Structures are given as C-alpha cells and as structure tokens.
C-alpha cells in the first residue's frame, strides 16, 4: 500500500496528521482521510478496488474508541454508500446497505437512518458459517444474537464485551490466593 500524507510522530507507531491518500496494490485510490493527532476527522472517502467510490463518512470529533465499547455509539456517520457498480444505496445518511469487508469474509446488511445503524442488521461470516442479527435504534445496539454453525445461539447487548472471570474480580482474587504456590526457595 502506498500512502501520501504526513506523520506527526512515531511512538511506536505512526500517528497521521492532516490530509492523506492511500492507494491499493494496483495504484488506485483506496481512501482519502484527514487526520488530527492520528484520529480521522471530518469527511472521509473510501473506494472499491475497481476505483469506484464505496462510502463517504463524516468523522465526529472528540469521540474515542472507548466510547464505542462503553456507550455503543459510532465515531462517524455514514453519509453516502454505493455498491461496487456505482449505484448509490445510502443518500444523505439514509438508506439500505449491503457491506462486504475487504477479504469478502464478512457480509452484513441493514438500514441507515441519519447516518447510523437503525432497525435490524444481519451478518454472515462466510468461512465459519456463523451469522448474527442485531437490533439498533438511532445507532445504539439494543440486542444481538450470534448463531453458530451448529445452531447454538449466544445473546448479547454490547458489541465488545471484555472477558471477565466467573464471579467477577473478587472471585478471581480468591481463586488466585487459593491456587498460587509460592516457591519454597524464595
């Protein structure tokens, strides 16, 4: 991938600053994004490998990735979405999108309203055969269910739940104190 833009620091990773353009392996533009302290800001454009526009996002300032996990809100609004042939399916934040990731391994579809997910979204992981169905209201996840290939279902209400010891942190400390073996030589 080729990148045109500036990096404001390297600590231990690049922190992009200002307007940038990335190109795919064939030399076609893959994204055009403006960064402030390494965080996308303002209007950003993303393109299919064939060079046609895929989506236009408006990044909202002062939103951190922690907010996505804790408050289940997106840090951007979808303004426009197009299929790979150039047909626009989301206009001014409203419409229906069928989205496939870069590898073609995940396909999801659902409705956008005012730039955020709204109503029912369905997805399928092609390699594993797992699927999911999520209910959104004004960009907030209300509920979700993941269906595994064997038909078993897992319900959730958060997009990313952090792993937690059975019984919570207090039980973890009890387990640790009961199972920790201090070396006799020490």
């Amino acid at each position: 991938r080729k990148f045109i833009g500036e990096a404001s620091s390297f600590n231990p990773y690049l922190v992009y600053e200002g307007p940038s353009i990335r190109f795919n392996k064939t030399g076609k533009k893959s994204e055009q994004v403006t960064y402030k302290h390494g965080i996308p800001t303002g209007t950003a454009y993303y393109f299919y490998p064939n060079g046609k526009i895929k989506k236009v996002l408006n990044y909202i300032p002062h939103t951190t990735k922690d907010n996505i996990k804790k408050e289940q809100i997106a840090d951007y609004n979808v303004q426009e979405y197009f299929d790979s042939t150039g047909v626009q399916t989301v206009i001014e934040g409203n419409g229906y999108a069928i989205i496939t990731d870069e590898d073609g391994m995940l396909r999801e579809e659902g409705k956008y309203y005012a730039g955020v997910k709204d109503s029912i979204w369905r997805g399928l992981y092609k390699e594993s055969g797992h699927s999911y169905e999520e209910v959104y209201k004004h960009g907030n996840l209300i509920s979700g269910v993941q269906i595994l290939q064997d038909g078993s279902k897992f319900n959730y209400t958060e997009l990313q739940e952090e792993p937690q010891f059975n019984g919570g942190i207090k039980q973890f400390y009890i387990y640790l104190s009961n199972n920790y073996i201090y070396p006799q030589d020490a």
Side-chain angles (χ1 to χ4, degrees):
R1 291 180 113 174
K2 197 172 190 179
F3 173 78
I4 298 175
E6 292 183 28
S8 61
S9 68
F10 185 86
N11 187 16
Y13 53 89
L14 288 174
V15 178
Y16 297 115
E17 194 68 39
S20 68
I21 300 172
R22 291 183 193 226
F23 298 89
N24 63 27
K25 291 178 184 177
T26 64
K28 293 190 188 294
K29 193 185 313 184
S30 62
E31 62 183 58
Q32 183 174 335
V33 182
T34 300
Y35 291 91
K36 185 170 185 175
H37 307 295
I39 300 171
T41 185
T43 304
Y45 303 87
Y46 297 86
F47 302 87
Y48 285 102
N50 64 11
K52 293 187 183 254
I53 190 155
K54 181 177 188 175
K55 60 187 172 183
V56 178
L57 305 182
N58 183 38
Y59 285 96
I60 302 164
H62 310 299
T63 301
T64 64
K65 293 294 179 193
D66 286 339
N67 286 349
I68 293 171
K69 182 173 55 187
K70 292 177 184 166
E71 298 174 21
Q72 299 175 349
I73 60 171
D75 62 346
Y76 60 85
N77 286 328
V78 175
Q79 298 301 303
E80 316 290 334
Y81 198 87
F82 301 82
D83 70 15
S84 61
T85 66
V87 175
Q88 189 171 7
T89 61
V90 175
I91 301 169
E92 295 179 3
N94 301 306
Y96 193 87
I98 298 173
I99 302 168
T100 305
D101 68 356
E102 275 185 33
D103 306 354
M105 301 308 292
L106 170 64
R107 180 183 187 272
E108 69 174 354
E109 59 184 282
K111 181 180 166 185
Y112 282 107
Y113 179 73
V116 295
K117 289 181 175 181
D118 200 60
S119 74
I120 296 173
W121 276 74
R122 292 180 178 91
L124 173 66
Y125 293 95
K126 291 183 181 177
E127 192 172 282
S128 67
H130 298 176
S131 63
Y132 62 88
E133 185 172 290
E134 297 173 338
V135 178
Y136 287 86
K137 185 169 179 122
H138 307 299
N140 295 310
L141 176 69
I142 305 301
S143 65
V145 61
Q146 182 177 17
I147 303 142
L148 302 181
Q149 205 170 23
D150 66 5
S152 57
K153 297 180 179 185
F154 296 96
N155 296 311
Y156 53 94
T157 56
E158 293 185 34
L159 289 175
Q160 291 183 334
E161 286 187 43
E162 297 296 323
Q164 188 178 40
F165 191 80
N166 239 358
I169 193 72
K170 187 174 181 178
Q171 288 300 317
F172 171 73
Y173 287 135
I174 291 169
Y175 171 82
L176 194 59
S177 67
N178 290 337
N179 292 289
Y180 185 75
I181 301 171
Y182 199 75
Q184 287 184 355
D185 293 345

